[in-house]
Amino acid sequence: MTQSARLTNQSLREAADRLVEERPDLPPGSVLRCFSKSVRAALLARCRPNDVVAEAERITREVLAQRLPGPRVPRPRRAA
């Protein structure tokens, strides 16, 4: 894996974590699926590689803002 691919993967993981933390009212899996679809949409829209993460975050926030909040979902504990 190249250094730029690692940075991109790290950026995607960090963005996904931010989005999950921002929406505790939604199941994490729903937020991650939405983000995954947003990344694909950004790529299909031919965003520059440096802009894909930011555009996917924007799309995800926009789509999730249209959703009605669901029941609060308990978060599983992360291993240390």
Side-chain angles (χ1 to χ4, degrees), residues 21-51:
E21 289 299 317
E22 287 175 15
R23 293 303 305 257
D25 58 316
L26 295 174
S30 294
V31 176
L32 294 175
R33 275 189 300 278
C34 183
F35 181 59
S36 174
K37 291 177 183 182
S38 297
V39 169
R40 181 157 174 73
L43 291 170
L44 290 173
R46 299 181 184 214
C47 286
R48 294 186 328 203
N50 294 342
D51 298 333

Side-chain angles (χ1 to χ4, degrees), residues 50-65:
N50 294 342
D51 298 333
V52 169
V53 175
E55 181 64 10
E57 271 190 276
R58 185 193 66 73
I59 293 169
T60 302
R61 285 188 181 99
E62 200 172 277
V63 170
L64 292 178

Side-chain angles (χ1 to χ4, degrees), residues 6 13 20 32 46 63 65 70 78:
R6 264 186 252 127
R13 280 193 308 269
V20 167
L32 294 175
R46 299 181 184 214
V63 170
R78 289 188 176 180

